[in-house]
Amino acid sequence: MAALRSATTCFRLLRSSARVLFRIPAVHKPGKWTNILYKSIASLTVGGGLCAVPFKQVENLSHDSLIRRAASLVTDSSSTFLSQTTLGLIDAITEYSKAVHTLIALQRRYLDSIGKLTPAEEDTIWQVIIGQRSEVNDRQDECKRFESTWMSAVKLCETAAEAAYSSGAEHACITVRTNIQVALSQVEEAQKLSADADKKLAEAKVMEIERVAQYAASLENNSDEEEVPEAYLRED
């Protein structure tokens, strides 16, 4: 009952303050009386406690201001999307490059051991090479998937930047365009690494073909020498 009486007293005081506010002459500024009302509310205590009322002064925003704020939110969201897809693409390219270098190392190891392996050992290392080639293909497909999403993020940011500029949110426009340039630069550096790995893989493939051809030719020459009749090798 005491709490009920305290709440009732609080609301009565609020209504009294509101009546005073609405009876003010038109010549007075509303901000002055609003401050008086806020101070009255803040000073209300019932039973030693503060009677809190969720009053909030609302800013009078224009349509242009609201549009600029919305455009800023769009640029923030699109920049976050671009950041995440950029990280995903760079990681995918990095993993692809690692897989390619591992494949190159396996192929070189095989070429260095060609002719020295037993059939079982050669079959084992070829199974490893085939598995690593499959890994390279999977990583390459992953790069293509992330790159497609990343390109969509870049286009989205470009559209958001244009919208921000046309709405007057110049700062948001500049920020998102800067983010685009940073993302392009980071992805370009990562793509250089993958391009270098692809180049080395192609060189290793050419070397493999040459070494295998040389080894096959040497086997053929040895076979021909063994088949020459002994009579042709003796002097009369």
Side-chain angles (χ1 to χ4, degrees):
M1 292 300 292
L4 180 58
R5 285 195 298 270
S6 298
T8 303
T9 303
C10 178
F11 283 115
R12 285 176 180 174
L13 290 172
L14 289 177
R15 284 198 295 269
S16 298
S17 299
R19 291 192 188 99
V20 172
L21 176 63
F22 287 119
R23 285 201 301 267
I24 62 175
V27 294
H28 292 288
K29 295 182 179 179
K32 174 183 177 182
W33 293 99
T34 303
N35 291 334
I36 294 174
L37 176 59
Y38 287 159
K39 291 178 181 178
S40 300
I41 294 172
S43 63
L44 294 179
T45 56
V46 180
L50 179 64
C51 180
V53 180
F55 274 53
K56 184 177 180 181
Q57 190 173 7
V58 179
E59 183 182 358
N60 186 18
L61 298 175
S62 65
H63 289 298
D64 289 335
S65 179
L66 292 172
I67 290 173
R68 285 193 296 269
R69 290 191 177 193
S72 297
L73 290 175
V74 171
T75 55
D76 290 343
S77 299
S78 58
S79 293
T80 301
F81 182 37
L82 177 61
S83 176
Q84 293 300 320
T85 55
T86 300
L87 290 175
L89 177 57
I90 291 175
D91 286 345
I93 293 174
T94 302
E95 293 301 321
Y96 169 74
S97 299
K98 290 180 180 179
V100 170
H101 284 294
T102 301
L103 177 59
I104 293 172
L106 290 172
Q107 290 179 340
R108 288 178 177 174
R109 180 180 176 184
Y110 168 72
L111 294 177
D112 292 339
S113 303
I114 193 170
K116 305 175 184 178
L117 301 173
T118 65
E121 292 173 339
E122 186 172 354
D123 182 68
T124 299
I125 193 171
W126 265 109
Q127 290 298 324
V128 176
I129 291 175
I130 291 172
Q132 188 60 30
R133 285 177 177 173
S134 178
E135 175 73 11
V136 169
N137 291 333
D138 291 341
R139 294 296 182 182
Q140 190 174 41
D141 291 339
E142 187 179 43
C143 285
K144 292 178 180 178
R145 179 170 59 85
F146 274 104
E147 185 176 11
S148 177
T149 307
W150 176 77
M151 291 178 64
S152 298
V154 172
K155 293 179 181 178
L156 179 62
C157 284
E158 290 175 346
T159 302
E162 293 175 0
Y165 180 78
S166 62
S167 65
E170 290 84 1
H171 179 71
C173 176
I174 293 172
T175 300
V176 72
R177 288 194 182 279
T178 301
N179 292 338
I180 293 173
Q181 293 302 320
V182 171
L184 291 173
S185 177
Q186 290 176 341
V187 171
E188 183 179 0
E189 290 299 320
Q191 288 175 337
K192 287 180 181 179
L193 296 177
S194 65
D196 181 67
D198 290 337
K199 180 181 179 181
K200 291 181 179 179
L201 180 61
E203 293 173 352
K205 184 64 177 179
V206 172
M207 184 182 298
E208 178 185 347
I209 294 174
E210 292 176 351
R211 291 287 296 274
V212 171
Q214 291 174 359
Y215 178 68
S218 65
L219 289 179
E220 186 176 353
N221 292 334
N222 292 334
S223 177
D224 291 340
E225 290 178 359
E226 291 176 358
E227 292 178 359
V228 174
E230 186 179 351
Y232 287 94
L233 299 179
R234 293 199 308 266
E235 294 182 357
D236 292 338

